[in-house]
Amino acid sequence: MTTRLTISGFDYRTVPGADGVNLNVAVGGSGPAVVLLHGFPQTHYMWRHVAARLADDHTVIVPDLRGYGDSDKPDGSDPATYSKRTMAQDIVTVASALGVDHFGLVGHDRGALVAVRAGLDHPAVVDHLGILDVLPTLDTWAVLRGVDAKIAWHLYLMAQPIGLPEKMIRAVAPEFFGSFLDAWDPSGTTFTREERAYYIDSSAAAIDSIVADYRASASIDLEMDRADRERGAQLAMPVGVISQDWGSQLGFDAASLWRAWAPDLTYQPTTSGHFMAEENPDEIATFITTLATRPSARNH
């Protein structure tokens, strides 16, 4: 295992989330609270540059999601364990334990799906919602069609029943996780050798829980999104989305898909790659601070 990487200047705490699952949480700065949730195949460390920029004006809370990094990795045989509802409850519970009863919430990739569920389930807690480079679960599966869907092959692999995906990934874990870090980094310079090794080793130590997280998005999370769509549920807070132009390749209009969930939406394309918080942290920090100061943002 490579050296554990941490965000410079931040304090680290182990904080219980839902059902007593402990989350590794970095906390720094002062001011209105913002929670940053990481994506795949990464940990909270992906926010290091953005968190440092935000800490001048915000209390910044940066957890490892359950099943990732140094957070607990409970058994995932019960689909609810890694449902985004449970993972969203983790975040609300952790924030409350830190004395924070409302916050801005920003998620990348997998963390964005947790953030969306938090916004739907806990609207009084989430002041504003930032989404980096993902679609809601329901829309993700709907736009994946034909040969172009091969870009999301890992979603289909990890949706399979317990056992086979984990065994297959374990056999080639460094190559499997490294392939995403390489393919989604267009410059090839976003990560140092140490950072790349850290992400690969952290993910390789969490194969079962990572697969359980993805498997939930092909089952229980999808069911929750369908139920919300049927009842007309929407995100009540200001929502900002920043994304690559996946729609031009897969044939969808991302802004319109998001607007069906979020009436108070701003949509911003980026020329950065998937790992935009590390590739272009100034852009992402500005995106977050602008979202936090939108006129429609609620005052508590």
Side-chain angles (χ1 to χ4, degrees):
M1 182 71 178
T2 57
T3 302
R4 175 176 180 256
L5 299 180
T6 58
I7 301 175
S8 178
F10 275 54
D11 296 326
Y12 278 78
R13 310 175 194 183
T14 299
V15 185
D19 306 318
V21 171
N22 288 317
L23 268 61
N24 175 54
V25 185
V27 183
S30 62
V34 60
V35 179
L36 308 177
L37 304 181
H38 67 85
F40 165 88
Q42 298 173 288
T43 71
H44 79 285
Y45 183 72
M46 64 152 282
W47 289 110
R48 61 198 178 282
H49 303 309
V50 172
R53 287 159 170 78
L54 296 177
D56 288 342
D57 301 301
H58 295 82
T59 297
V60 186
I61 301 169
V62 199
D64 284 332
L65 297 169
R66 69 162 58 197
Y68 290 80
D70 289 320
S71 289
D72 285 353
K73 302 169 180 62
D75 177 78
S77 54
D78 180 351
T81 301
Y82 287 94
S83 74
K84 302 309 157 292
R85 174 159 289 154
T86 301
M87 295 174 79
Q89 185 63 58
D90 280 340
I91 304 310
V92 174
T93 302
V94 164
S96 180
L98 295 173
V100 174
D101 59 7
H102 64 92
F103 47 83
L105 183 57
V106 182
H108 175 250
D109 189 70
R110 306 304 297 171
L113 300 180
V114 176
V116 169
R117 178 47 55 190
L120 289 167
D121 287 0
H122 305 277
V125 174
V126 179
D127 295 335
H128 50 268
L129 186 61
I131 304 297
L132 276 61
D133 217 35
V134 80
L135 289 175
T137 298
L138 181 62
D139 298 292
T140 295
W141 291 110
V143 303
L144 293 174
R145 299 184 298 272
V147 70
D148 288 333
K150 69 181 184 296
I151 195 169
W153 64 276
H154 58 298
L155 300 183
Y156 294 92
L157 171 63
M158 291 192 275
Q160 302 310 309
I162 293 174
L164 184 59
E166 295 88 340
K167 185 175 182 179
M168 293 174 68
I169 294 168
R170 194 168 284 112
V172 289
E175 294 86 354
F176 178 78
F177 294 113
S179 70
F180 301 104
L181 294 170
D182 297 339
W184 297 342
D185 176 18
S187 72
T189 60
T190 298
F191 311 114
T192 66
R193 182 177 300 180
E194 181 184 29
E195 289 162 355
R196 185 179 184 277
Y198 165 68
Y199 286 140
I200 289 172
D201 286 353
S202 294
S203 297
I207 291 170
D208 290 351
S209 50
I210 289 174
V211 175
D213 167 32
Y214 273 86
R215 185 178 288 118
S217 288
S219 55
I220 190 169
D221 295 339
L222 186 58
E223 294 165 7
M224 290 177 187
D225 272 18
R226 284 175 176 154
D228 282 334
R229 176 56 57 83
E230 288 173 2
R231 68 184 180 90
Q234 293 182 315
L235 295 161
M237 66 290 300
V239 177
V241 176
I242 184 167
S243 181
Q244 299 177 87
D245 186 16
W246 294 109
S248 63
Q249 178 175 345
L250 296 174
F252 64 86
D253 180 344
S256 65
L257 291 177
W258 272 110
R259 195 162 284 111
W261 293 96
D264 189 358
L265 175 76
T266 58
Y267 180 83
Q268 177 179 334
T270 181
T271 58
S272 296
H274 182 63
F275 301 113
M276 55 191 71
E278 291 162 287
E279 182 183 343
N280 194 346
D282 286 335
E283 178 184 43
I284 301 307
T286 299
F287 165 78
I288 294 170
T289 56
T290 300
L291 176 62
T293 57
R294 270 171 48 185
S296 54
R298 295 170 297 168
N299 278 319
H300 288 259

